[in-house]
């Protein structure tokens, strides 16, 4: 089992960790650390980039309670310096948090559900459960998003289970059972999610969300300007 330290502190980019297991997969090595700040792919958010012992991390994979770091070469030491690519992590934390915000406002202001999301390198796409949306609705969506950013709402985490989930007014049902993590935009939006996010909406770059493209019911959105 790996301690998932990225949940405890999402702003640690450099740390030291001990290897507890190494397995080989074809030409690559899957390294398990005792604890890690590397976020593995999940919830539409790609895995972190960086280095372990000076070797580039090719991928970070969650496997049950374990986080595996894929490396090209086998580490020669058991205690290693690890470094996460800060720019990459911050970019996706911002995109992901912006997506929560927009999907929340879509639901709470316009009663539109989010069907799927894709966090891309340059833009985030949100697929909505509506064939068309008016200019006035888009304006309201942007205005409400930006008002929430200006109000500096915190992003808060709750750990619960299937029974405990009933206590939350969640926006969409959980894809998992057992241990469930609920992400709250303070007193506004609650959704089950295992990703990493900003700590406060005010951290969204330049404090503004701009929606910039609509294709039928798919929306390329949330590029911060
Ligand atoms: Zn999330």
């Amino acid at each position: 089992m790996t301690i998932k330290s990225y949940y405890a502190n999402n702003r640690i980019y450099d740390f030291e960790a001990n290897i507890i297991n190494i397995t080989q997969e074809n030409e690559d090595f899957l390294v398990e650390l005792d604890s890690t700040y590397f976020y593995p792919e999940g919830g539409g958010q790609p895995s972190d980039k960086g280095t372990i012992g000076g070797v580039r991390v090719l991928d970070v994979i969650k496997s049950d309670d374990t986080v595996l770091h894929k490396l090209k070469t086998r580490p020669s030491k058991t205690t290693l310096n690890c470094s996460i690519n800060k720019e990459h992590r911050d970019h996706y934390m911002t995109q992901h948090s912006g997506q929560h915000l927009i999907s929340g406002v879509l639901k709470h202001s316009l009663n539109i559900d989010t069907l799927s999301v894709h966090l891309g390198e340059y833009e985030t796409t949100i697929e909505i459960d509506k064939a068309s949306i008016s200019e006035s609705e888009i304006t309201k969506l942007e205005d409400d998003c930006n008002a929430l950013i200006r109000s500096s709402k915190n992003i808060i985490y709750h750990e619960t289970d299937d029974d405990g989930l009933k206590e939350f007014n969640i926006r969409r049902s959980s894809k998992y059972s057992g241990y469930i993590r609920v992400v709250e935009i303070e007193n506004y939006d609650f959704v089950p999610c295992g990703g990493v996010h900003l700590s406060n909406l005010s951290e969204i770059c330049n404090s503004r969300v701009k929606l910039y493209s609509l294709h039928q019911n798919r929306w390329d959105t949330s590029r911060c300007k």
Side-chain angles (χ1 to χ4, degrees):
M1 177 180 162
T2 314
I3 298 172
K4 300 173 185 66
S5 301
Y6 47 83
Y7 283 150
N9 191 327
N10 61 358
R11 295 291 187 183
I12 299 282
Y13 305 97
D14 297 290
F15 62 100
E16 194 173 78
N18 300 306
I19 294 175
I20 56 176
N21 194 31
I22 300 177
T23 55
Q24 190 161 358
E25 183 189 71
N26 302 319
E27 302 287 301
D28 302 319
F29 296 91
L30 299 175
V31 175
E32 184 183 351
L33 303 173
D34 54 354
S35 70
T36 187
Y37 289 91
F38 275 93
Y39 177 71
E41 182 178 4
Q45 189 168 345
S47 61
D48 281 334
K49 296 180 176 178
T51 58
I52 292 178
V55 176
R56 187 164 68 91
V57 176
L58 302 174
D59 198 4
V60 188
I61 305 146
K62 188 166 178 286
S63 175
D64 297 325
D65 281 340
T66 301
V67 177
L68 301 172
H69 310 73
K70 185 183 282 191
L71 306 180
K72 205 71 188 167
T73 57
R74 187 186 188 93
S76 56
K77 295 193 295 185
T78 54
T79 301
L80 297 164
N81 291 319
C82 307
S83 181
I84 293 168
N85 182 317
K86 179 179 184 300
E87 187 180 1
H88 182 265
R89 159 68 78 80
D90 287 357
H91 170 78
Y92 282 103
M93 279 204 303
T94 304
Q95 290 284 348
H96 193 158
S97 304
Q99 180 269 311
H100 274 252
L101 170 64
I102 293 165
S103 290
V105 173
L106 278 165
K107 182 65 177 176
H108 304 307
S109 291
L110 301 172
N111 198 28
I112 296 172
D113 285 317
T114 293
L115 297 179
S116 68
V117 300
H118 173 71
L119 306 183
E121 188 172 355
Y122 300 106
E123 61 195 26
T124 289
T125 303
I126 299 176
E127 183 183 6
I128 58 173
D129 187 20
K130 193 175 181 190
S132 64
I133 189 165
S134 67
E135 281 298 321
S136 64
E137 287 176 312
I138 292 171
T139 300
K140 178 161 182 56
L141 179 54
E142 288 183 344
D143 288 349
D144 287 0
C145 283
N146 292 321
L148 285 161
I149 292 170
R150 285 194 300 275
S151 70
S152 299
K153 283 190 174 291
N154 288 314
I155 297 177
I156 303 160
Y157 301 99
H158 307 273
E159 295 180 324
T160 188
D161 54 20
D162 300 82
D163 274 347
L165 193 61
K166 296 170 188 164
E167 304 296 315
F168 295 90
N169 183 24
I170 54 171
R171 170 165 51 79
R172 65 159 173 78
S173 59
S174 176
K175 298 170 186 165
Y176 304 97
S177 20
Y179 171 83
I180 297 171
R181 197 160 165 269
V182 174
V183 178
E184 172 188 355
I185 294 177
E186 190 178 352
N187 297 321
Y188 180 72
D189 185 60
F190 299 82
V191 68
C193 181
V196 285
H197 314 76
L198 303 172
S199 302
N200 189 289
L201 289 184
S202 63
E203 296 170 34
I204 288 177
C205 52
N206 297 328
S207 299
R208 185 157 179 255
V209 163
K210 174 68 179 169
L211 307 172
Y212 64 92
S213 177
L214 178 66
H215 310 286
Q216 293 187 336
N217 66 336
R218 290 186 70 87
W219 227 335
D220 295 336
T221 182
S222 89
R223 179 163 59 183
C224 297
K225 288 183 174 177

